[in-house]
Amino acid sequence: VSAPARPGRRRRPRLPEAADAAFHDAHQPGVATRQQAHVALAAFDVVDDATPDDVRDVLAAWSAAAARLMAGGRSAQDVDAGRDGGEAHELVPAGLTLTFGLGPGLFDPARFGLADRRPIGLEPLPAFACDALDERRCGGDLCVQACADDPQVAFHAIHALTRAAHGIARPRWAQTGFVRRGTVEDRGRTPRNLLGFREGASNLRDPGQLARHVWVDRGDRTGMRGGTYLVVRRIRADLEAWDAAPIAAQERAVGRTKVTGARLEAPDRDAHTVRAGPALNGGARLLRRSYNFFDGVDTATGALDAGLLLLCFQRDPRRQYAPIQRALDAQDALARYGVHTGSAVFAIPPGCRPGGYVGEPLLEAP
Ligand code: HEM
């Protein structure tokens, strides 16, 4: 049910629905895909004695499994034979998308002999003032982003792919997240984060913007064309300090009103949306696909361990995430309400054809 178009109100373009996303496509799914309600993100370490062929085998096994999982293909025989854990048996795919990424460590000259294949934009992120990083939530040689409208389906995908990588790659860290998807009652509005503000209003949507800011074109390895880069930041919110701030101060920190999400007419110079916006960052923009997270209680302080799992896609993190984060480090009224506890960067190669695998043109190029 869609609301009747109001005269004079321009309809914003929307990203394609997850149910229409195909695993075999020019781009991997789960990037320019309308956000599902849940994410399960896992980063993996490849074992030190793995060969380049082992790495290729994992990506080939994952790609074959992903096409099957996204199509909801789970057979009773696989469950009976113990090849599938069975926890998603009889569940519909719930818009599952699977997105695979390659971390900087995979191309380390001292490791798998893949140094000459390293995607040009894939460099470890520099240190930032907002960092309070826990190494156990950072990095990784490979990543899988599983998004679905059912958390059990997303978990099952991570479980199945972890099994498929057994002996070659093992989970290093994982993070789940949730977001309220625009519903009929909400008239499809952008969802709210745990600070109570709507997020995504000024996000990238139309294909021209995606071509400009998200998809790799020239200036990188041929095997990355049609791919992108993912920056992950686990940002823990200081909800006690936030709750103590008057609403007017919260709105000034964001640069938007809380209830409606409208831009403030005269935002402060240090408002988050001003500092993160393209005007102050040489036109740099990000495709944000962030989720809220809630990981229980920090037993040392008694505070809720909750915040924002920032997932943002771009064609070059060195020219997009890094300068935007530096601008926020220098001055961002919102930054005093959160610290970054996890961080990772991954190259997201383009999509693959049936029979091929994600990363093949990059890893197999002569
Ligand atoms: C707890 C941390 C954060 C919260 C709660 C948060 C929240 C928000 C909100 C409410 C908006 C305005 C609505 C929208 O356009 O989406 C926004 C905009 C934005 N945020 Fe954040 N954000 C956080 C951290 C970050 C970080 C670390 C970055 C990147 C380095 C970032 C990049 C952006 C960008 C690029 C915009 C759009 C600015 C514009 O073009 O108007 N945010 N954020």
Side-chain angles (χ1 to χ4, degrees), residues 13-16 27-35 145 199-200 202-207 209-215 227-232 276 284-290 309-316 320-321 324:
R14 257 201 190 162
L15 297 174
H27 308 299
Q28 288 197 63
V31 179
T33 303
R34 195 158 172 245
Q35 207 175 354
Q145 175 195 254
E199 211 178 314
S202 56
N203 214 352
L204 302 175
R205 283 181 184 81
D206 73 60
Q209 290 178 326
L210 300 177
R212 181 145 176 241
H213 301 284
V214 179
W215 304 125
T228 181
Y229 291 85
L230 166 65
V231 170
V232 183
R285 301 189 65 182
L286 301 166
L287 171 63
R288 286 166 293 138
R289 217 171 174 280
S290 304
L309 178 65
L310 177 79
L311 300 179
C312 59
F313 295 93
Q314 57 227 281
R315 60 188 292 174
D316 190 342
Q320 289 164 268
Y321 179 79
I324 295 174

Side-chain angles (χ1 to χ4, degrees), residues 193 195 197-203 235 254 256 263 272-273 276-278 285-286 288 308 310 321 324-325 328 334 340:
N193 58 39
L195 302 186
F197 277 76
R198 292 195 179 282
E199 211 178 314
S202 56
N203 214 352
I235 307 172
V254 174
R256 288 181 176 265
R263 276 179 199 282
H272 178 67
T273 45
R285 301 189 65 182
L286 301 166
R288 286 166 293 138
L308 186 78
L310 177 79
Y321 179 79
I324 295 174
Q325 186 58 63
L328 293 176
L334 194 58
H340 295 219

Side-chain angles (χ1 to χ4, degrees), residues 249-267:
Q250 295 183 357
E251 293 183 331
R252 280 200 307 277
V254 174
R256 288 181 176 265
T257 63
K258 193 163 189 179
V259 173
T260 66
R263 276 179 199 282
L264 298 186
E265 264 173 39

Side-chain angles (χ1 to χ4, degrees), residues 8-80:
R9 187 164 180 253
R10 202 168 61 87
R11 269 197 158 269
R12 263 198 313 222
R14 257 201 190 162
L15 297 174
E17 290 289 339
D20 299 325
F23 183 71
H24 297 120
D25 206 340
H27 308 299
Q28 288 197 63
V31 179
T33 303
R34 195 158 172 245
Q35 207 175 354
Q36 300 96 317
H38 297 272
V39 68
L41 185 80
F44 294 78
D45 278 337
V46 174
V47 297
D48 282 335
D49 58 356
T51 65
D53 276 342
D54 288 336
V55 174
R56 294 181 186 113
D57 286 350
V58 167
L59 290 165
W62 279 1
S63 300
R68 224 171 36 240
L69 290 164
M70 280 179 56
R74 289 176 287 265
S75 71
Q77 288 94 314
D78 281 349
V79 178
D80 271 343

